[in-house]
Amino acid sequence: MEKLQTMRLNDGTSLPSIGFGTVQVKGAQGVTSVLSAIEAGYRLIDTSTNYNNEGMVGEAVRRSSTPREELIISSKLPGHSHGYDRAILMIQESLYRLGLDYFDKYLIHWPLPKQGQYEEAWQALVDAQKFGLIKTIGVSNFLSEHLEKIIEKTGVTPATNQIERHPYFNNNELVEYNKSRGIVTEAWSPLGREINDVLTNETIVKIAEKYNKEPAQIIIRWNLQNDVLTVVKSSSYAHQKANLDVFDFELSEEDMKQIDALDKGEAGRVEGQHPNEYEEFD
Ligand SMILES: NC(=O)c1ccc[n+]([C@@H]2O[C@H](COP(=O)([O-])OP(=O)(O)OC[C@H]3O[C@@H](n4cnc5c(N)ncnc54)[C@H](OP(=O)(O)O)[C@@H]3O)[C@@H](O)[C@H]2O)c1
């Protein structure tokens, strides 16, 4: 398998172009799953306080034979802690849950614009980075208007914006906006989380057959060629390996366009979670 390519961030650090997702990955089985992912070659592990599994991720980090400094542990600030003081305490508490003394990456999970506190939350991440609690700071589910506000308020541009993106909801406008601001896009639910049928979509299957690859690999490659980091989850070692095996082929421009054409706009979101409306606190 070819080496996992990296992506350069606006803060001078780099991330692997594919990360391992952990929604619903919990308990002892979760530890096994994360250890298996590390064995398969993943180094970036994506968790969140809202996934109720930070302890499990910390346990996998401790049990892994891969040194801590080679792993990139990323978590997310929950909606109930957007106030400045609460955010600083939450970041510390999250680190205690994981048993770590710094995060490699930390994001604001959702902007919750109706609550009107995401600017404060961003200031907390900026300061936590200065205190040495976080190496790279970013956001998740932020639209361009939210990004404009936090950049204007603090002068600090997030390094990454983790957003919903899969062929039925490609979010291309926001991907382009992120690019224009020097922000790396991370794609969540890249395979549609088995809620939608993107892995059996006729166009994707045909393209997969053409390159002698699996549908999931085609989608991950489509992200890669759009400079988008893919955060993908799998409980199977074979799928975990396959999802990293995407560096030995290139999709043609025509095939890239065909995948873009599968977009269904707002109707394509897996769970209808529009960042201006959706609220999730814990
Ligand atoms: N920031 C946010 O708001 C947000 C929201 C949602 C998700 N996320 C992050 O994004 C991560 C990924 O999204 P997700 O977990 O929703 O779903 P996903 O990665 O789109 O899909 C996971 C599903 O795809 C299957 N799969 C994986 N590789 C496959 C392959 N090669 N062939 C066939 N099936 C395959 C898995 O089944 P098997 O287990 O059988 O392989 C699993 O059921 C999350 O875990 C989380 O870390 C972030």
Side-chain angles (χ1 to χ4, degrees):
M1 198 166 69
E2 314 255 327
K3 202 171 173 305
L4 223 168
Q5 281 172 16
T6 57
M7 287 180 169
R8 188 115 177 118
L9 306 184
N10 62 20
D11 63 4
T13 61
S14 295
L15 291 177
S17 48
I18 304 168
F20 186 69
T22 65
V23 160
Q24 303 294 350
V25 180
K26 291 184 184 179
Q29 238 182 345
V31 174
T32 307
S33 200
V34 173
L35 285 172
S36 150
I38 295 171
E39 171 65 30
Y42 294 82
R43 291 296 175 265
L44 168 57
I45 312 294
D46 182 80
T47 179
S48 169
T49 296
N50 287 5
Y51 302 166
N52 283 316
N53 67 1
E54 287 172 310
M56 175 283 287
V57 171
E59 184 61 19
V61 171
R62 275 184 299 283
R63 285 204 213 163
S64 169
S65 55
T66 299
R68 162 71 184 102
E69 58 276 15
E70 286 180 26
L71 297 172
I72 298 153
I73 307 303
S74 184
S75 193
K76 311 187 189 83
L77 184 74
H80 60 62
S81 291
H82 276 197
Y84 183 86
D85 292 348
R86 290 188 77 158
I88 295 287
L89 289 174
M90 189 69 240
I91 294 163
Q92 293 171 326
E93 174 60 24
S94 250
L95 285 170
Y96 296 143
R97 289 179 194 185
L98 278 140
L100 302 178
D101 48 14
Y102 68 92
F103 278 117
D104 300 276
K105 181 158 81 69
Y106 193 84
L107 315 174
I108 300 173
H109 202 150
W110 287 91
L112 306 177
K114 292 181 197 169
Q115 305 300 318
Q117 283 188 304
Y118 63 81
E119 293 173 56
E120 258 187 71
W122 182 242
Q123 186 63 56
L125 264 64
V126 169
D127 292 344
Q129 186 183 40
K130 285 189 195 137
F131 306 154
L133 297 176
I134 309 170
K135 292 199 168 164
T136 286
I137 52 175
V139 294
S140 180
N141 300 303
F142 272 47
L143 302 177
S144 57
E145 62 259 35
H146 312 135
L147 289 163
E148 304 267 335
K149 277 198 188 142
I150 59 172
I151 295 168
E152 196 186 321
K153 174 129 194 248
T154 62
V156 181
T157 303
T160 68
N161 186 11
Q162 184 175 120
I163 59 175
E164 177 170 1
R165 174 176 155 89
H166 42 81
Y168 293 163
F169 184 72
N170 63 36
N171 228 335
N172 273 349
E173 233 174 83
L174 188 49
V175 173
E176 285 312 312
Y177 176 82
N178 285 339
K179 251 183 220 171
S180 75
R181 283 294 201 160
I183 300 168
V184 165
T185 299
E186 301 179 60
W188 64 251
S189 292
L191 310 180
R193 201 191 271 186
E194 285 185 350
I195 291 175
N196 70 35
D197 63 353
V198 72
L199 289 176
T200 53
N201 175 277
E202 200 186 336
T203 304
I204 300 283
V205 170
K206 261 197 195 143
I207 296 174
E209 280 165 4
K210 176 173 159 192
Y211 293 90
N212 200 16
K213 286 282 176 183
E214 294 175 19
Q217 293 172 315
I218 297 300
I219 295 172
I220 295 166
R221 184 72 209 181
W222 166 70
N223 274 330
L224 196 68
Q225 287 181 219
N226 276 305
D227 302 315
V228 170
L229 189 158
T230 305
V231 184
V232 62
K233 177 183 74 176
S234 172
S235 51
S236 119
Y237 184 69
H239 285 167
Q240 290 172 352
K241 285 288 270 188
N243 295 344
L244 294 179
D245 187 13
V246 296
F247 300 102
D248 60 350
F249 73 109
E250 189 165 343
L251 295 169
S252 70
E253 232 172 88
E254 180 52 35
D255 291 331
M256 291 288 285
K257 280 192 192 138
Q258 280 201 66
I259 301 172
D260 280 334
L262 297 175
D263 185 63
K264 298 178 181 178
E266 280 301 317
R269 289 185 188 272
V270 281
E271 293 192 272
Q273 296 168 333
H274 191 292
N276 270 337
E277 298 303 325
Y278 181 67
E279 299 205 309
E280 178 181 286
F281 295 94
D282 51 27

